[in-house]
Amino acid sequence: MEYIIVTYPQTRTVFIDGEENGETGERLRVEEGKHTVNLGDPRDYKPKWRRPTVTGTTTVHPMIIEFERDE
């Protein structure tokens, strides 16, 4: 099992591979490998998605995936 934290300036729902998987700022569990991560609608953030390869993480050292406001 691998771990990620998705960041954004406000709380948003996190979608991983098209499924709701928690909220920004939370430690989320994913399987090892490539995943498509986005924040759903409205698409007022950038980039529109990220597709990292998640591997070698721990609960103490999760992968940080950042999104910014797109104003």
Side-chain angles (χ1 to χ4, degrees):
M1 195 56 57
E2 302 294 328
Y3 299 89
I4 65 171
I5 294 177
V6 179
T7 65
Y8 186 70
Q10 67 189 57
T11 301
R12 294 283 294 261
T13 300
V14 175
F15 292 83
I16 300 174
D17 300 328
E19 301 288 326
E20 287 186 30
N21 198 282
E23 294 185 340
T24 53
E26 296 178 339
R27 183 175 288 109
L28 306 175
R29 293 180 4 171
V30 297
E31 296 292 327
E32 182 175 16
K34 273 198 182 291
H35 297 280
T36 302
V37 180
N38 68 60
L39 303 178
D41 292 325
R43 303 272 179 176
D44 56 354
Y45 52 89
K46 62 183 178 180
K48 297 303 180 196
W49 69 86
R50 292 205 181 266
R51 189 156 166 75
T53 300
V54 185
T55 188
T57 66
T58 66
T59 58
V60 175
H61 294 101
M63 176 180 282
I64 306 299
I65 301 172
E66 299 178 347
F67 288 89
E68 306 175 344
R69 287 191 173 116
D70 186 15
E71 300 179 37

